Structure formats: structure tokens, C-alpha cells
Amino acid sequence: MTDRIAELAAGYDRSGAFPAESLRLAHEAGLLTATIGEGYGGPGAGVEETARILHRLGQGDPSVALIAAMTLTNHARQAAQPHWPEELYARVVKESFARPVLVNHARVEPELGSPARGGLPATRARRTADGWAVSGTKRFVTGAEGLDWFLVWATTDEPEPRVGTFLVPGGSPGIGIAGNWDQLGLRASGSHDVTFDEVEIPYAHVIGLGPHGRAAEQDNRAGAALHLPLAALYLGVARAAQAFFHTFAHTRVPANLGHPVARTERFRRTAGEIEVLLAGAEQLVFDGAAKLDGGDSSYTPEQALGARVLADRHGVRAVELAVRLLGNPGLARGNPLERHFRDIQCAPVHAPQADISLLAIGTTALDGSTPLDAPKALDL
């Protein structure tokens, strides 16, 4: 299944079309419903299994993997702490077993940017006689063209405004998809801008509705169940790049050399560095995921954030090494390595970005230490 998705990836990358066929294949393999909780009749996949699914999908097509990741994460959150209206979620689950049903949050806005850095949504939910009318513009909504549900973060227009996530069915009147996603990497992820113009939903189709605060209700330390699988996704991209690098090394026989470049010290040394980078990052990610699944209280949010920072850095560096050694062939559009190089650049872009993660890690490290814990400064 992942081999077939990999075969389709180049075409979707060139066209930027929504990868419907690849997502159908993933659904038929049970990957889009893997995290539906056992209480809802699903397999109840944990963080480690989710990370391994996205790692394999990332090797095939990271655009497909990212769209899948958003749906998997939403089901996992519901399984861990139910928050959807029960009747509505039961309907979503029933449909999900029958066909690919895609769910994603719509949070980023043109003026605000990512809520990971704080702020409140300009998108408004107006109270109507029967429910809510949602209006506003969201950016970078992954899988926008194929979403069955948009989870729209918005502020109510009430005298005392509240903030919550409004459950908007895809295809509702008033939804406009800009079709403006034209990025260097993950070209088939369809992360377009989406406008909501008085989109009406029932009153009960809202979750997490709470008081209007001064900052976004987003805890960047609490998302380990997303950080680690997302890191695994991009390590999958790096593994795909490594596979092409190995194939090239074994099949490239320069006339002046007389044997494959894989036998040269230069290629072997680089192959070793790439393997060390990726194996080390995978160990951090998958071991951390296993600890989360096992309820290991010693595994901290800062460790998960740190694992993702290092995994992103290692993945990007590994692909850069492969491209640099191959030279022009590595950047040729006819080789998959060029696509992997573009796709891996998206790894550090996802919120929380490295500077936010390092700030959280550093703050905890400094606040948790005392002068007695630290080595004595040299008296110079």
C-alpha cells in the first residue's frame, strides 16, 4: 500500500492536486481510523503506533501523511478525553469506517498567524435563532479540499465573548477554498486558505467554549501525542531520501572508477553519518512515544519537544548530506531526492517551532535548577 502511494506521489507533487486515491488506499488499510478509541469500536492505536504509521506514510508521500495525521490526532484526542457531542461523534465514526472521513482544525489566521505564539481569533461566531453563524478566514488548513469537518477556532459575538472550536461540516454553504497553496514542499497537502461566510451550524456543535481570555488557549508543552508522530512523519521523508541515495550509490559506476560509488570511502562515510542521524532521531521519537503509551510519569513534555527539535534537525541534515554528495543529480527534477529535499524543509515549520520549544525547555531547565545544582563558575 505504501509502495503504491509512493508511486503516486510524484504525480501529485507536480500537479498539486488533492491526493484522493492515496487517501483511499490509506483508508482501505485502516490507517485513517487507527486511533478511533476502543470505546467507539476502533483499534485505539497509541502514540507509538501512530508515529510508526506516519513514518511509513511519510516515506510514501508526506502530503498524504500530514492530511492523515490531522484526522488521526483528532480521533486520538477524542479517545483520550471525549469532548465532541456524543451523537455527532458516533455519526462521524460510523461514516469513517465506511469511507475516508477527514477532520482538521482551522486555527491560523492572516493577521494573528499561529496561535502557538498567543492571541485571539478574529473569526466570529454569531448567535442565531437555531445555532451559530461562523465568519472569518483561516490559513494553512491542511487537506482543505477534502475535509469533511473543519474545526474552526472562533470568538462569539456575545456581550461577554467566549472562545471555542466550532464544528463545521465540509461543503456547507458559505465555505470558500482559495486554492492558493503553492509551496516549495508538501505541494499535495492542499493547505489552502479557507473563508467562512455566515456558515450556519447547530448550537450544540461547538467544543471547548470558554471565557474570552487575553491569549490563545494553547499549551505548547501538552502536545506530545502530536509532536512525536509529526517528527516521525518527516523522519520517514528522510528515510525515503536515504533509500534513493543508497540506490544511486550502488548503481552509479563512473567510467574512470570502474565500480559503484558505494565502494568509495566518501560515500560510505556519508552513508554512515546519515544512518547515525536518522537512527538516533528515531530512537528518541519511538522510545518517547512508547513511554507516553506506558504512562511513564518521568517522561516530560520538554523531552517530547526536545525529541521533535532534534528529529527535525537530523532529518533535514540527513537529506542535505545526500543531496550535497550527489550534486546535480540530487537536484534534478527527475529524481525523487529533489522532492524529498523540498518536502523535508517543511519539518521545522509546524507549530510550535524550534524557538518556542527551546524557550519552554530552557525555562523549565533554568527554573528547575539552583546555584547548588550547577557547577561552580571558574574564578578567572
Side-chain angles (χ1 to χ4, degrees):
M1 180 273 300
T2 51
D3 288 345
R4 177 57 181 152
I5 287 176
E7 291 173 1
L8 295 169
Y12 282 126
D13 175 74
R14 285 192 298 270
S15 68
F18 182 76
E21 174 64 12
S22 296
L23 286 161
R24 183 188 66 78
L25 292 169
H27 172 263
E28 289 181 352
L31 302 188
L32 298 184
T33 53
T35 55
I36 292 177
E38 294 178 354
Y40 299 102
V47 181
E48 183 182 6
E49 187 174 350
T50 303
R52 293 191 183 279
I53 288 171
L54 295 179
H55 186 260
R56 286 302 303 276
L57 282 176
Q59 292 178 54
D61 187 340
S63 291
V64 173
L66 187 63
I67 294 170
M70 301 301 106
T71 295
L72 289 171
T73 300
N74 275 290
H75 285 309
R77 287 172 175 162
Q78 178 69 14
Q81 187 174 359
H83 53 285
W84 280 60
E86 283 296 325
E87 184 177 341
L88 175 60
Y89 187 70
R91 193 177 87 206
V92 169
V93 168
K94 182 178 180 180
E95 293 177 0
S96 296
F97 287 131
R99 63 177 180 84
V101 173
L102 303 176
V103 183
N104 194 11
H105 285 268
R107 292 177 64 83
V108 181
E109 295 185 342
E111 297 298 324
L112 175 64
S114 170
R117 297 179 184 274
L120 290 163
T123 301
R124 289 290 181 266
R126 181 177 62 82
R127 189 74 175 89
T128 67
D130 301 316
W132 305 97
V134 179
S135 297
T137 298
K138 297 295 185 178
R139 303 200 70 192
F140 310 130
V141 184
T142 294
E145 295 163 286
L147 291 183
D148 292 87
W149 291 93
F150 293 87
L151 278 57
V152 183
W153 189 51
T155 304
T156 68
D157 71 341
E158 299 166 310
E160 295 185 8
R162 294 179 292 168
V163 177
T165 298
F166 295 79
L167 308 174
V168 178
S172 297
I175 296 178
I177 298 173
N180 60 340
W181 178 253
D182 189 18
Q183 304 292 99
L184 178 73
L186 268 66
R187 293 181 52 76
S189 69
S191 303
H192 303 295
D193 289 4
V194 180
T195 58
F196 301 87
D197 184 9
E198 291 288 291
V199 180
E200 297 188 9
I201 62 171
Y203 181 72
H205 287 197
V206 58
I207 55 180
L209 197 59
H212 191 298
R214 289 182 297 174
E217 294 294 328
Q218 178 159 320
D219 184 352
N220 293 314
R221 296 172 61 258
L226 174 60
H227 301 324
L228 296 177
L230 198 59
L233 187 163
Y234 286 101
L235 289 173
V237 177
R239 283 296 188 186
Q242 180 194 43
F244 178 81
F245 173 77
H246 287 180
T247 298
F248 181 93
H250 285 296
T251 57
R252 171 63 175 155
V253 183
N256 64 336
L257 194 60
H259 57 75
V261 293
R263 291 167 57 182
T264 65
E265 183 177 310
R266 184 177 178 220
F267 268 79
R268 288 176 178 269
R269 182 180 295 113
T270 301
E273 186 169 357
I274 290 172
E275 178 59 25
V276 166
L277 287 169
L278 298 184
E282 287 169 352
Q283 184 174 355
L284 278 175
V285 168
F286 293 130
D287 285 1
K291 289 178 180 178
L292 284 175
D293 286 337
D296 187 343
S297 60
S298 68
Y299 190 74
T300 67
E302 288 76 20
Q303 286 176 291
L305 288 171
R308 193 186 139 206
V309 169
L310 287 175
D312 288 350
R313 289 178 177 178
H314 284 201
V316 171
R317 177 60 178 160
V319 180
E320 287 177 348
L321 286 169
V323 169
R324 190 170 300 173
L325 192 56
L326 266 60
N328 276 329
L331 292 173
R333 290 295 299 272
N335 287 335
L337 183 57
E338 181 267 349
R339 171 164 46 89
H340 302 323
F341 176 75
R342 287 188 286 105
D343 287 339
I344 201 71
Q345 306 308 315
C346 298
V349 171
H350 295 285
Q353 294 173 346
D355 65 313
I356 294 291
S357 296
L358 293 172
L359 177 62
I361 294 166
T363 298
T364 299
L366 286 171
D367 289 350
S369 66
T370 67
L372 292 177
D373 297 325
K376 293 182 179 179
L378 293 176
D379 185 5
L380 300 177

